[in-house]
């Protein structure tokens, strides 16, 4: 019996906010903290907690610096983060395919 695709989902990546962070960082290559906060409709503290989880898992890199005189925090995916996101998307595609192929039983 084959393993169900849901068993391959990574709890660190799959959480809604963290998946959002990773997909945005993948698209942008490097994304600013304020953009993530606004786009994902989070408080700074909540976003910070999710970034800490991803950083500890070595899926993102956080860089702090300045843009002019304003402090900025930038987020980018690591190579491990890119691989984890690809893997997560592959499992999600398998799940979608199973749902789409399933025939609905007659009522």
């Amino acid at each position: 019996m084959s393993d169900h695709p849901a068993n391959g989902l990574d709890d660190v990546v799959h959480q809604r906010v963290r998946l959002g962070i990773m997909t945005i960082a993948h698209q942008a290559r490097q994304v600013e903290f304020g953009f993530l906060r606004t786009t994902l409709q989070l408080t700074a503290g909540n976003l910070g907690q999710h970034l800490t989880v991803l950083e500890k898992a070595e899926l993102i890199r956080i860089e702090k610096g300045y843009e002019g005189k304003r402090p900025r925090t930038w987020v980018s995916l690591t190579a491990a983060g890119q691989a984890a996101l690809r893997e997560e998307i592959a499992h999600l595609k398998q799940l979608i395919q199973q749902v789409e192929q399933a025939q609905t039983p007659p009522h």
Side-chain angles (χ1 to χ4, degrees):
M1 182 175 171
S2 66
D3 211 12
H4 193 276
N7 294 331
L9 296 175
D10 182 330
D11 289 337
V12 172
V13 176
H14 191 73
Q15 195 282 340
R16 178 185 67 83
V17 171
R18 293 192 288 268
L19 185 58
I21 291 166
M22 292 181 72
T23 57
I24 292 168
H26 171 74
Q27 292 170 313
R29 305 282 184 224
Q30 186 177 51
V31 61
E32 203 270 326
F33 183 93
F35 180 82
L36 285 173
R37 186 178 46 75
T38 302
T39 302
L40 297 173
Q41 300 176 348
L42 301 169
T43 64
N46 191 281
L47 176 56
Q49 289 174 341
H50 287 290
L51 291 175
T52 298
V53 169
L54 291 170
E55 187 178 36
K56 284 183 180 178
E58 298 182 350
L59 300 178
I60 63 166
R61 179 176 23 268
I62 296 176
E63 296 177 44
K64 295 183 181 271
Y66 288 87
E67 192 174 279
K69 294 184 179 184
R70 302 178 104 180
R72 294 283 190 228
T73 300
W74 293 278
V75 177
S76 57
L77 289 182
T78 61
Q82 293 281 0
L85 181 59
R86 277 193 305 273
E87 182 90 5
E88 190 71 13
I89 297 301
H91 286 292
L92 289 170
K93 284 180 179 178
Q94 289 174 350
L95 283 169
I96 291 166
Q97 185 178 27
Q98 282 186 5
V99 170
E100 289 176 343
Q101 288 178 351
Q103 293 183 359
T104 54
H107 290 27

